[in-house]
């Protein structure tokens, strides 16, 4: 029943060096900006596959983590609090024209893992720029949620309970993006954005993760010898969730005109596995 579709985590981003753009009035602020850039750089190198660090060194730097997915999650967990702290302080002076110019100069650019124009571009992925720190926060959180989902798939054969928990955690992060983070970017309606940066796509991903958590629950129930009637209800629950996700996609044809066919096939195949 479980289909291992890992494409949502295949994002890329262009380099950002915060201290080259933001003016620091004191050494402490400069150090904070340098640490922010440093934490982001290791994420950039990993997702862009531009790191020259060997597997052994990467494992040692992470404290012994053998999973590449876990190492990336660790990097994101170290970067996100620093980014949120920057956003907090920028919000205090949001009307300052100099600060707005600095954000513009950051050139925050991310690719899409769900867009057909990015997947089949011979010159490399298409990058989308939005001059807003919450775009950076949102895409970083999206990557975090996608990697939580990938980790859930990774440990599925060994730990069904933990796998289901991670699927639900990923669903929660996607829903947070849909409700709290990306709606704040809606003022930039005319700016082209990746599908990942839309509230509706985050809702779809949240629903898919819930369906996957339910599928893992069914597998666990089957191991326990749960009755056929209860299993049928669990299967029906997945069908309803995927039907809801499909309805969102096909009711937003303008927004989803560039969606990857492989993503649509994944939802369709997931539904087919239930029948």
């Amino acid at each position: 029943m479980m289909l291992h579709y890992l494409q949502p985590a295949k994002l890329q981003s262009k380099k950002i060096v915060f201290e080259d753009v933001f003016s620091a009035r004191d050494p402490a602020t400069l150090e904070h900006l340098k640490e922010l850039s440093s934490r982001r750089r290791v994420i950039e190198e990993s997702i862009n596959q531009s790191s020259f660090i060997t597997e052994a060194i990467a494992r040692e730097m992470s404290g012994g983590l053998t999973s590449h997915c876990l190492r990336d999650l660790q990097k994101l967990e170290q970067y996100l609090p620093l980014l949120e702290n920057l956003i907090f302080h920028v919000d205090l002076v949001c009307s300052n024209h100099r600060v707005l110019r600095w954000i513009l100069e950051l050139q925050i650019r991310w690719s899409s893992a769900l867009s057909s124009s990015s997947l089949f571009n011979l010159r490399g992925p298409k990058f989308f720029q939005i001059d807003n720190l919450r775009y950076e926060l949102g895409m970083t959180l999206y990557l975090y949620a996608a990697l939580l989902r990938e980790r859930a798939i990774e440990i599925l054969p060994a730990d069904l309970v933990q796998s289901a928990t991670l699927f639900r955690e990923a669903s929660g992060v996607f829903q947070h993006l849909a409700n709290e983070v990306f709606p704040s970017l809606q003022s930039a309606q005319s700016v082209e954005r990746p599908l990942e940066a839309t509230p509706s796509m985050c809702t779809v991903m949240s629903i898919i993760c819930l369906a996957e958590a339910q599928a893992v629950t069914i597998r666990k129930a089957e191991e326990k010898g749960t009755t056929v009637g209860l299993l049928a209800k669990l299967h029906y629950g997945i069908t309803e969730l995927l039907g809801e996700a499909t309805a969102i996609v096909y009711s937003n044809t303008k927004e989803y005109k560039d969606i990857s066919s492989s993503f649509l096939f994944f939802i369709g195949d997931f539904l087919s596995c239930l029948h």
Side-chain angles (χ1 to χ4, degrees):
M1 179 186 292
M2 294 298 298
L3 302 175
H4 296 178
Y5 182 73
L6 303 178
Q7 193 62 35
K10 308 304 179 186
L11 297 172
Q12 292 187 35
S13 181
K14 292 292 187 178
K15 183 179 181 180
I16 292 179
V17 183
F18 291 94
E19 68 271 18
D20 285 354
V21 174
F22 283 87
S23 178
R25 293 184 177 181
D26 56 79
T29 301
L30 179 59
E31 286 306 310
H32 287 317
L33 290 171
K34 286 183 176 180
E35 184 181 4
L36 188 63
S37 298
S38 176
R39 296 296 186 188
R40 192 186 198 275
R41 184 169 58 253
V42 294
I43 296 168
E44 292 165 6
E45 291 174 349
S46 181
I47 64 176
N48 295 344
Q49 298 182 338
S50 59
S51 176
F52 296 103
I53 296 175
T54 65
E55 176 66 20
I57 293 175
R59 186 166 58 246
E60 183 178 346
M61 289 174 63
S62 68
L65 295 176
T66 56
S67 164
H68 180 82
C69 184
L70 271 182
R71 290 200 292 261
D72 279 350
L73 285 168
Q74 182 188 68
K75 293 168 188 172
L76 290 165
E77 288 166 356
Q78 292 168 343
Y79 173 62
L80 281 165
L82 299 176
L83 176 62
E84 289 170 339
N85 183 58
L86 176 67
I87 292 173
F88 171 78
H89 285 92
V90 166
D91 283 348
L92 296 177
V93 290
C94 59
S95 59
N96 187 303
H97 292 294
R98 186 190 301 176
V99 173
L100 295 176
R101 188 175 68 251
W102 289 341
I103 295 172
L104 181 67
E105 291 173 3
L106 285 176
Q107 296 187 331
I108 304 169
R109 289 170 290 175
W110 286 81
S111 70
S112 172
L114 301 176
S115 167
S116 58
S117 61
S118 285
L119 294 174
F120 301 108
N121 190 336
L122 296 177
R123 294 176 296 178
K126 178 180 179 180
F127 285 88
F128 301 82
Q129 178 175 333
I130 300 179
D131 302 315
N132 191 311
L133 285 174
R134 281 184 171 74
Y135 175 53
E136 170 71 4
L137 175 64
M139 293 303 290
T140 306
L141 280 170
Y142 187 99
L143 176 60
Y144 185 75
L147 286 170
L148 282 175
R149 177 181 174 272
E150 188 171 305
R151 177 60 179 167
I153 294 171
E154 188 175 79
I155 66 170
L156 182 59
D159 192 335
L160 293 176
V161 174
Q162 182 62 15
S163 176
T165 298
L166 287 172
F167 277 126
R168 293 189 183 98
E169 286 181 11
S171 175
V173 177
F174 282 126
Q175 199 57 50
H176 171 69
L177 287 167
N179 295 340
E180 305 294 337
V181 180
F182 285 132
S184 66
L185 297 180
Q186 293 306 298
S187 58
Q189 290 281 356
S190 61
V191 178
E192 190 179 14
R193 69 189 63 212
L195 278 169
E196 289 87 345
T198 61
S200 64
M201 187 69 241
C202 290
T203 298
V204 168
M205 287 302 303
S206 177
I207 293 170
I208 287 173
C209 288
L210 286 179
E212 289 172 319
Q214 184 91 323
V216 177
T217 300
I218 289 174
R219 184 179 294 189
K220 187 67 175 177
E222 287 172 340
E223 288 183 358
K224 291 182 176 179
T226 304
T227 62
V228 174
L230 180 54
L231 288 174
K233 288 181 180 179
L234 292 171
H235 276 280
Y236 181 70
I238 298 177
T239 302
E240 283 195 317
L241 286 168
L242 293 177
E244 184 182 349
T246 303
I248 292 172
V249 171
Y250 286 103
S251 65
N252 290 274
T253 52
K254 183 178 180 181
E255 192 167 72
Y256 290 91
K257 65 181 183 297
D258 195 34
I259 193 168
S260 163
S261 58
S262 63
F263 181 75
L264 298 177
F265 288 147
F266 161 69
I267 298 177
D269 290 345
F270 199 166
L271 275 167
S272 298
C273 287
L274 301 172
H275 301 295

